[in-house]
Amino acid sequence: MSTMDLPATPLRRWERFTLAERLGRALFYLIALTAIMWSFKTIEIIPEFLYDAPQQTVDLFARMWPIDWSWYFPVVHPALVETLHIATLGTILAVIMASGVALLVARNITRSPILNFIGRFILVATRSIHSIVWALFFVAVFGPGALAGTLAIAMHSIGFTGKFLSEAIEDARRGPIEALIASGAPPLSILIKGYWPQVKPAFLSISIFRWDINVRESAVLGLVGGGGLGMALDTALANLYWDQAGLVLFVIFIVVVVTEILTTLVRSRII
Amino acid sequence: MTSAAADRRRAFPPNWPLRIGLLVLAIYVVYAAQILDITWTRFLIGIEHGERFLSRMFPPDFSHDKLQLLYAGMMESLQIAILATVFGTAISLPLGLASARNISPAPIAWAARLFIVLCRTFHPLIVAILFVKAVGFGALAGILALTVASVGFISKLVGEATEEMSMKQVEAVRATGASFMSVIIMGVMPQVMARFIGFIAYELDSNLRNSALVGLVGGGGIGATLFTAFQRFDYDFVLTIVISIIAIVMVGEILSGFMRRLFQ
């Protein structure tokens, strides 16, 4: 039997994407390209500033270089301690508030779409306003200092913490919950004995992760009056004491690296 | 008789480590609040200020000249975010691949990792201060600062995504005698491209958010408008700006979600 006898199969073309997908992507590329071209064409850059950029950069580091260590104990150390307290206290406050909002958002606990939506709106709104902008608000209300910084950190963290907490709560298995309901447990007991053990690892990991981020953020809040290392940096910059600014930057660098290592260690221990 | 009752386990025994932990936490909160000079009286005084503050914020100022300022600031922020994402992505893709230990040699991978950690360490605001000193006030400093932040963030994710991919396809392409670039294009990229798009979408989102920030220290954009409004006590205009920032961020989140779905 020769191959000629086989029925001729029509040539099948295999396509990875449908026409709609390809059109969607093409449209997307077009929009992206237009946006990029538009940004390049219309962005306002003052060329006069660029001529001496290399000298300015060299000058910046030359002024910073012999770092002024004598400033560490009188000024930078108290600021560092304040920063760590702001970050920790802010995280604790945020976790407490976020737990409430997360319960409101989680659809398996609050069975009301309106309340869910309100909770979700709180999460998005607190998250979209940056902690620095929150700090501006709280400095205007409470005056400059650690109180404003702590509240700013707490408010901004609600969104992030609440979002992940509510997801963890929604992922909780129904089994233990139904067992508790069947035994006639009151709502609070269901929350503590049914949900909490399931959510605990996520809760701890989210809190620690947020603390790591908050240490970073609280180090700059002082630039707008929120206390901590940022305040020391702001004073040094305002006085053009670049050697002090260099010291503050160095301290921030060390703190951030140490907290990152610390949180990685703790997370690998509990999870 | 009594031993049998004692042997029976309680269904929910008291969790002493948790109780002690909570006690320690409570003591810390009181201690830290005292150190930071956070007192109830200050809080009450603040609430009083807050009322006045809020009454000056409402209603938000939508007058024509203010809207023009808002528009100009927003457009600049948008440009800063877009350009920082473009530059950040252009640097991050090769850097991220270089930092992946399964396709690049160890010394290059470690050097790339060190550079990425360096980029991630400093808050964009601090980087912006340094760039404002180096290249002067304006949008360029903002773009450069956000580019550094993007590089720190995307390269790390790209590196991790590349380390998680399957090596079989890479080895298959290598076995055909393909050059290094062909291995990257044919073996690596198809596996990680979808996730890259997701990262870029997220980065655009976060750059948009942060571009409202770099203006505070002279990096241009809506942040500069916001800071000026604050310093002039135009609290009603501040509210307008904050509302529009939230709106833009929400629109950005929807758009980036759409973009992710398009490429998944």
Side-chain angles (χ1 to χ4, degrees), chain B residues 39-118:
Chain B
T39 56
W40 190 244
T41 43
R42 256 191 95 184
F43 192 72
L44 287 183
I45 296 170
I47 296 290
E48 219 170 281
H49 280 287
E51 269 169 40
R52 222 173 323 143
F53 183 68
L54 280 180
S55 68
R56 285 181 62 176
M57 272 173 108
F58 282 99
D61 188 353
F62 284 114
S63 60
H64 185 66
D65 57 327
K66 293 287 155 94
L67 283 187
Q68 261 178 342
L69 273 179
L70 179 74
Y71 179 76
M74 271 300 177
M75 284 301 126
E76 195 170 39
S77 267
L78 208 58
Q79 291 162 347
I80 291 174
I82 291 173
L83 290 180
T85 310
V86 170
F87 292 137
T89 311
I91 301 172
S92 299
L93 291 188
L95 193 66
L97 291 176
S99 78
R101 277 168 297 190
N102 52 354
I103 56 167
S104 84
I108 296 180
W110 283 111
R113 268 155 186 271
L114 193 69
F115 183 73
I116 293 169
V117 168
L118 218 60

Side-chain angles (χ1 to χ4, degrees), chain A residues 42 56 85 132 141 216 260, chain B residues 28 46 79 120 133 216 262:
Chain A
T42 51
Q56 288 284 350
H85 280 314
I132 302 279
V141 172
R216 246 169 253 233
E260 181 145 351
Chain B
Y28 169 76
Q79 291 162 347
R120 259 161 53 80
K133 161 78 172 132
L216 295 178
L262 201 59

Side-chain angles (χ1 to χ4, degrees), chain A residues 85-161:
Chain A
H85 280 314
I86 290 174
T88 315
L89 210 54
T91 311
I92 293 172
L93 263 179
V95 168
I96 293 170
M97 290 191 280
S99 305
V101 184
L103 291 177
L104 206 63
V105 171
R107 268 169 302 213
N108 50 355
I109 293 195
T110 308
R111 294 179 192 283
S112 149
I114 301 166
L115 287 179
N116 290 155
F117 178 78
I118 292 173
R120 215 166 274 282
F121 178 77
I122 295 174
L123 293 188
V124 174
T126 51
R127 204 153 32 114
S128 358
I129 303 176
H130 213 282
S131 54
I132 302 279
V133 181
W134 277 116
L136 279 174
F137 277 122
F138 286 123
V139 167
V141 172
F142 294 106
L147 179 58
T150 310
L151 289 177
I153 289 284
M155 287 306 280
H156 180 63
S157 310
I158 291 178
F160 177 94
T161 323

Side-chain angles (χ1 to χ4, degrees), chain A residues 36-97:
Chain A
I36 293 169
M37 290 310 288
W38 166 75
S39 306
F40 264 113
K41 281 234 160 108
T42 51
I43 190 98
E44 237 174 274
I45 287 173
I46 305 163
E48 284 77 21
F49 282 170
L50 280 179
Y51 296 140
D52 65 341
Q55 287 108 289
Q56 288 284 350
T57 313
V58 171
D59 181 52
L60 171 74
F61 287 106
R63 276 164 193 257
M64 272 190 199
W65 178 236
I67 285 179
D68 192 352
W69 297 104
S70 63
W71 272 83
Y72 181 74
F73 279 104
V75 177
V76 180
H77 186 72
L80 169 64
V81 173
E82 196 175 56
T83 289
L84 292 178
H85 280 314
I86 290 174
T88 315
L89 210 54
T91 311
I92 293 172
L93 263 179
V95 168
I96 293 170
M97 290 191 280

